[in-house]
Amino acid sequence: MNYTILKGNIVSSTALNQLEITENGYLVAADGIIQGVFATLPEAYEGHVVQDYRQKLIVQSFSDLHLHAPQYPMIGLGMDLPLLDWLNTYTFPLEARFADNDYARKIYRQLAQELIANGTTRVCMFSSLHREATLILMEELENAGVTGYVGKVNMDRNSGDVLQETTEQSMAETALWLEQCEKFEHIHPMITPRFTPSCSDELMAYLGKLAQEKNLPIQSHLSENDKEIAWVQELHPDCEQYWQSYAKYGLWNDKTVMAHCVWSDERERKAMKDAGVTVAFCANSNTNICSGVTPVRAMLNEGLQVGLGSDIAGGHQIEMHQVIASTIATSKHTTMTNGAPCLTVAEGWYLGTSGGSEFFGEQAGFAKGNPLHALVIDDSHLPQVDSVEARFERSIYRRQTGAITAVWSAGRKVLG
Amino acid sequence: MNYTILKGNIVSSTALNQLEITENGYLVAADGIIQGVFATLPEAYEGHVVQDYRQKLIVQSFSDLHLHAPQYPMIGLGMDLPLLDWLNTYTFPLEARFADNDYARKIYRQLAQELIANGTTRVCMFSSLHREATLILMEELENAGVTGYVGKVNMDRNSGDVLQETTEQSMAETALWLEQCEKFEHIHPMITPRFTPSCSDELMAYLGKLAQEKNLPIQSHLSENDKEIAWVQELHPDCEQYWQSYAKYGLWNDKTVMAHCVWSDERERKAMKDAGVTVAFCANSNTNICSGVTPVRAMLNEGLQVGLGSDIAGGHQIEMHQVIASTIATSKHTTMTNGAPCLTVAEGWYLGTSGGSEFFGEQAGFAKGNPLHALVIDDSHLPQVDSVEARFERSIYRRQTGAITAVWSAGRKVLG
């Protein structure tokens, strides 16, 4: 057995709005699997090396359930543009550049490193339609220590001039890509129709069959804005609601993440709950693009599974600390509008860590049996505060450059 | 004459929603006063040293019209608490610590340096009630290169146990403080009743008289939340609206900044416009404390003078780049709620720079006759983008640590 024993002020998000704080405690993993959090080190582990982080905070690392890797170079660009202009001016031309493998290598290496530096160790990520660039992305994530899922994007209609594939290309490339990505250990493929309007019925049927046959997870976009919803209704007059355009092709189950769900009403939310679909709540992009406000409190009350997405580059912050702060701010705007109780700091943190990690098969918090995904936060440069809980809360709101001094991902130390 | 000639990609916010971009241009100041922005260097300045920043951006520095210096150590703490608990748990006990001059020196030195590092060169700032700590704050700001106004806070009622002064103390200390701060060159005193509920009528009358006699600027809080407004109405039954509790004592004129104004209705806004009162819009704290959303679009349409405040520590971001992004996000929430047009990036930038600097007697943008307040932004570590305007917009949204490489304040180079 190979033991990892971390000592420090441990904060574990064991349930929505519940933090378990163990001051000067021990977080123990054996062969990368968490054995528990202990106030004093159990005898069984005595004699093994203890990495003592003293007064520093030891917390879970983040899950980012929705981001577009090829949009990484355009973070912060075009934030005034309406969605369609934004796509045509920046997004599609930029994604088209990932036909160039050297460009992909350079950008994706930076992206993978920035994710780890900011403590994101699990992702559900869109690549572009390019098979080779997608494999490069997966290599770079694997090398940097990011785990989770990546999808080669499928889009055979309604996608402009610079970025489209034929139905045949899309199917053949996806099949070849799936073969080629069997070599990865920590990063796996995810079926990724861009969204209903950009995939023909034939392609959707193929993807659904593939997901079913190979038991693959699925990601896409759902009910982000009203024009998109109306468009889906036109394209699929047999579907009363947007989600049904995925469900009818077998793309709607408990291995599915749907981004946004801003306008998902009670019925669509019930369909999510019944199928076990996970919501990726993307507060920054919802605000930047004026999509609306995801009814996150209703979703939580109804028992839906919810995680957070940075949604780079509709979102402008890749740092999940900041995404959590924006998520809480968005919920406070809802409070000011309709009185729905806003998210607490503990709840925002839960969504950005445990809420997302559930999709990867983990239990909430530093639970026994989870792979070790953890961060060390050094706030010694900030004013002294005695309460560990207050320091933890501050770490979400106050700028973190350089504060994350060590990161573990799936049991491996990947930073520090 | 002492010339400062800066060469680079110059962006000047000359009016709301109007950017003047001069690529590879020259920004010229003589003895610290701007002479103009030129596409080619006029003959008159030939032979003088040109500081060539090549492809970097040269932009205006920020004005922060509302922040509480003694709350600097508590940034990001207690963001879940209701206002009163937040004040009693964190704010008042912390402010009370500034009776200790050594503590004040240490904290205020850090604050002043962080302001300059983030490009804030003009402030309207609350100190605490302590005269000596206020002088220390002014010294530290002056030494670091921050210009503008600081107020010793006046509060002789309703301020808890740990932080109160008698009416006599408040008046005597204010008078003494005003004498003692005549020595400063770039930082000046500002009359600062904390807000109506914390100042007795006698104190308010004294402060109004003082402001009038010595022609001093004034700052306070106005219409931040409904409970506060109701309280003011109880305390001043003769005042139909909150603003009148300032106006009746001579604390309401064109040298006045009022923070928040979230609930200022058409009548209160007209009173502002008529008197020439400036609004300090504090998007972050309004959201964090769930105060409401300041009707900034209405204020701008009505011709009010509006600038931005970080409102540390109700606000959690001291970096005005981020405050501008939050300001725009807040306005987008208004758009999503009631359809009012949101702020553009150029408008947000205007409010954080020219909008605020008007209070200090400047014209908008790098206008001839303004003291030189400028930043150099190095974005060479980010992906290459050809458009200067797009790079400028990105600088607001994408994290800036280390990107501000030089700062001028009132003609002096204070960083880089």
Side-chain angles (χ1 to χ4, degrees):
Chain A
M1 281 288 194
N2 190 2
Y3 288 98
T4 307
I5 306 179
L6 311 181
K7 184 169 189 289
N9 289 309
I10 300 168
V11 183
S12 175
S13 173
T14 51
L16 189 68
N17 217 2
Q18 187 180 303
L19 297 173
E20 275 185 20
I21 296 176
T22 313
E23 295 193 28
N24 301 307
Y26 298 83
L27 171 60
V28 178
D31 286 345
I33 303 299
I34 293 175
Q35 305 302 303
V37 175
F38 308 98
T40 54
L41 191 66
E43 264 182 41
Y45 306 118
E46 274 176 17
H48 295 288
V49 176
V50 173
Q51 300 177 57
D52 189 350
Y53 288 99
R54 296 167 179 274
Q55 289 310 306
K56 297 186 180 69
L57 303 171
I58 300 174
V59 302
Q60 296 157 258
S61 62
F62 301 108
S63 296
D64 188 342
L65 291 195
H66 185 65
L67 73 166
H68 294 265
Q71 295 174 21
Y72 175 59
M74 53 177 280
I75 293 178
L77 290 173
M79 295 279 89
D80 277 351
L81 296 179
L83 183 57
L84 275 182
D85 291 344
W86 181 79
L87 286 170
N88 289 321
T89 308
Y90 289 106
T91 316
F92 289 155
L94 177 59
E95 288 203 17
R97 289 190 64 182
F98 287 79
D100 174 349
N101 291 346
D102 292 339
Y103 183 70
R105 179 73 65 191
K106 183 179 147 222
I107 296 298
Y108 289 155
R109 184 162 297 173
Q110 283 175 18
L111 169 62
Q113 288 166 354
E114 189 163 353
L115 286 168
I116 289 297
N118 287 293
T120 299
T121 62
R122 315 171 199 78
V123 295
C124 291
M125 188 184 273
F126 280 51
S127 176
S128 58
L129 57 77
H130 309 93
R131 176 178 49 80
E132 289 184 17
T134 304
L135 290 165
I136 290 168
L137 171 58
M138 294 171 84
E139 276 169 26
E140 293 299 330
L141 294 173
E142 176 111 335
N143 290 342
V146 181
T147 73
Y149 301 110
V150 167
K152 174 217 167 313
V153 169
N154 298 99
M155 44 197 295
D156 67 342
R157 66 173 181 185
N158 296 323
S159 306
D161 298 330
V162 295
L163 197 70
Q164 192 140 326
E165 50 186 2
T166 65
T167 309
E168 294 66 35
Q169 278 169 344
S170 189
M171 298 193 296
E173 290 289 286
T174 301
L176 181 55
W177 165 63
L178 287 176
E179 281 171 31
Q180 291 176 322
C181 62
E182 279 170 15
K183 65 181 173 183
F184 299 112
E185 189 184 353
H186 293 287
I187 199 90
H188 301 291
M190 193 167 201
I191 293 297
T192 306
R194 190 171 194 122
F195 71 145
T196 297
S198 60
C199 294
S200 66
D201 295 2
E202 186 184 356
L203 182 55
M204 290 287 264
Y206 174 81
L207 295 173
K209 196 156 160 277
L210 209 53
Q212 207 163 357
E213 281 173 8
K214 295 185 182 279
N215 196 25
L216 292 169
I218 298 152
Q219 63 184 347
S220 197
H221 297 90
L222 183 70
S223 297
E224 183 173 4
N225 72 58
D226 47 5
K227 280 189 194 156
E228 169 207 18
I229 295 168
W231 194 11
V232 170
Q233 207 123 50
E234 265 176 52
L235 293 166
H236 292 272
D238 57 317
C239 295
E240 283 179 48
Q241 294 205 301
Y242 191 166
W243 66 275
Q244 293 168 312
S245 70
Y246 296 112
K248 76 173 173 183
Y249 296 112
L251 295 161
W252 187 258
N253 58 43
D254 62 359
K255 294 170 78 74
T256 303
V257 173
M258 284 286 158
H260 305 308
C261 312
V262 175
W263 297 103
S264 296
D265 64 5
E266 214 170 320
R267 181 175 165 200
E268 188 160 273
R269 297 199 300 265
K270 183 165 186 309
M272 277 181 216
K273 171 136 175 57
D274 290 347
V277 167
T278 296
V279 176
F281 176 15
C282 306
N284 276 327
S285 72
N286 292 348
T287 302
N288 288 336
I289 308 173
C290 284
S291 303
V293 180
T294 304
V296 64
R297 178 60 66 193
M299 289 170 170
L300 294 171
N301 288 344
E302 292 160 4
L304 270 67
Q305 198 172 318
V306 182
L308 303 185
S310 66
D311 196 14
I312 296 307
H316 61 287
Q317 296 171 324
I318 202 163
E319 307 87 349
M320 292 296 290
H321 270 120
Q322 300 197 327
V323 170
I324 290 171
S326 291
T327 299
I328 296 168
T330 296
S331 81
K332 288 184 172 176
H333 275 279
T334 314
T335 301
M336 293 188 279
T337 307
N338 68 18
C342 61
L343 295 173
T344 63
V345 173
E347 287 177 329
W349 178 263
Y350 177 88
L351 296 179
T353 56
S354 300
S357 70
E358 209 178 329
F359 185 77
F360 303 97
E362 296 180 28
Q363 302 296 307
F366 285 129
K368 190 174 176 179
N370 280 351
L372 179 64
H373 285 274
L375 306 180
V376 173
I377 295 180
D378 180 359
D379 62 358
S380 58
H381 60 294
L382 295 179
Q384 200 194 315
V385 170
D386 292 332
S387 154
V388 171
E389 185 169 0
R391 287 170 52 204
F392 166 78
E393 292 188 3
R394 177 174 64 180
S395 78
I396 293 165
Y397 278 97
R398 195 155 177 176
R399 204 169 226 209
Q400 289 300 304
T401 307
I404 296 175
T405 56
V407 178
W408 286 261
S409 175
R412 304 160 300 159
K413 192 170 189 184
V414 294
L415 185 88
Chain B
M1 282 285 196
N2 190 3
Y3 288 97
T4 307
I5 307 179
L6 311 181
K7 184 168 189 289
N9 288 309
I10 301 168
V11 183
S12 174
S13 173
T14 50
L16 189 68
N17 216 1
Q18 186 178 304
L19 298 173
E20 276 185 18
I21 295 176
T22 312
E23 295 193 28
N24 301 307
Y26 298 83
L27 170 59
V28 178
D31 286 344
I33 302 300
I34 293 174
Q35 304 302 303
V37 175
F38 307 98
T40 54
L41 191 65
E43 265 183 40
Y45 307 118
E46 274 176 17
H48 295 288
V49 175
V50 174
Q51 300 177 56
D52 189 351
Y53 288 98
R54 297 169 178 272
Q55 289 310 307
K56 297 186 179 70
L57 302 171
I58 300 174
V59 302
Q60 296 158 257
S61 62
F62 301 108
S63 296
D64 188 342
L65 290 195
H66 185 65
L67 73 167
H68 294 265
Q71 295 174 23
Y72 175 61
M74 54 176 281
I75 293 178
L77 290 173
M79 295 280 90
D80 277 351
L81 297 178
L83 183 58
L84 274 183
D85 291 345
W86 181 79
L87 286 170
N88 290 321
T89 308
Y90 288 107
T91 316
F92 289 155
L94 177 60
E95 287 201 19
R97 289 189 65 181
F98 287 80
D100 173 349
N101 291 347
D102 292 339
Y103 182 71
R105 178 73 66 190
K106 181 177 149 226
I107 297 297
Y108 289 154
R109 184 163 297 175
Q110 283 174 18
L111 168 63
Q113 287 166 353
E114 189 163 352
L115 287 168
I116 290 297
N118 287 292
T120 299
T121 62
R122 315 170 198 78
V123 295
C124 291
M125 189 184 271
F126 280 52
S127 176
S128 59
L129 58 76
H130 310 93
R131 175 179 50 78
E132 289 184 16
T134 304
L135 291 164
I136 289 168
L137 171 58
M138 294 171 84
E139 276 169 26
E140 293 299 331
L141 293 174
E142 176 111 335
N143 289 342
V146 181
T147 71
Y149 301 110
V150 167
K152 174 218 167 313
V153 169
N154 298 99
M155 45 196 294
D156 68 342
R157 66 174 180 183
N158 296 323
S159 307
D161 297 332
V162 295
L163 195 70
Q164 192 140 326
E165 50 186 1
T166 65
T167 308
E168 294 65 34
Q169 278 169 343
S170 188
M171 297 193 297
E173 289 290 286
T174 302
L176 182 53
W177 165 64
L178 287 175
E179 281 170 31
Q180 291 176 319
C181 62
E182 278 169 15
K183 64 181 173 182
F184 299 112
E185 189 183 354
H186 293 288
I187 200 90
H188 302 289
M190 195 168 200
I191 294 296
T192 306
R194 190 171 194 119
F195 72 145
T196 297
S198 60
C199 294
S200 67
D201 295 2
E202 186 184 355
L203 183 54
M204 290 286 263
Y206 174 81
L207 294 173
K209 195 154 160 280
L210 209 54
Q212 207 164 357
E213 281 173 9
K214 295 185 181 278
N215 195 25
L216 292 169
I218 299 152
Q219 63 184 346
S220 198
H221 297 90
L222 182 71
S223 298
E224 183 174 3
N225 71 58
D226 47 4
K227 279 190 194 157
E228 169 207 21
I229 294 169
W231 194 10
V232 170
Q233 207 122 51
E234 268 177 48
L235 293 166
H236 292 272
D238 57 318
C239 294
E240 284 178 45
Q241 294 205 301
Y242 191 164
W243 66 275
Q244 293 167 314
S245 71
Y246 295 112
K248 77 174 174 183
Y249 295 112
L251 295 162
W252 187 259
N253 58 41
D254 62 359
K255 295 170 77 76
T256 303
V257 173
M258 284 287 159
H260 305 307
C261 312
V262 175
W263 297 102
S264 296
D265 64 5
E266 214 169 319
R267 181 175 165 198
E268 190 161 272
R269 296 199 300 264
K270 183 166 186 309
M272 277 180 215
K273 171 137 174 55
D274 290 348
V277 167
T278 295
V279 177
F281 176 17
C282 305
N284 275 327
S285 72
N286 293 347
T287 302
N288 288 336
I289 309 171
C290 284
S291 303
V293 180
T294 305
V296 65
R297 177 61 66 193
M299 289 171 170
L300 293 172
N301 287 345
E302 292 160 5
L304 269 68
Q305 198 171 318
V306 182
L308 303 184
S310 67
D311 195 15
I312 297 305
H316 62 287
Q317 296 172 324
I318 202 164
E319 308 87 347
M320 292 297 289
H321 270 119
Q322 300 197 329
V323 170
I324 290 171
S326 291
T327 300
I328 295 168
T330 296
S331 81
K332 287 184 173 177
H333 276 279
T334 315
T335 302
M336 293 188 281
T337 308
N338 68 18
C342 61
L343 295 173
T344 62
V345 173
E347 287 177 330
W349 178 263
Y350 177 89
L351 296 179
T353 56
S354 300
S357 69
E358 209 177 329
F359 185 77
F360 302 98
E362 296 181 29
Q363 302 297 307
F366 286 130
K368 190 173 176 179
N370 281 352
L372 179 64
H373 286 273
L375 307 179
V376 172
I377 296 181
D378 180 0
D379 62 359
S380 58
H381 60 295
L382 296 179
Q384 199 193 317
V385 170
D386 291 333
S387 153
V388 170
E389 185 168 1
R391 287 170 53 204
F392 166 78
E393 291 189 4
R394 177 173 66 181
S395 77
I396 294 165
Y397 278 96
R398 195 155 179 175
R399 205 170 227 207
Q400 289 302 305
T401 307
I404 296 176
T405 55
V407 179
W408 285 261
S409 175
R412 304 160 300 160
K413 192 171 190 184
V414 293
L415 185 87

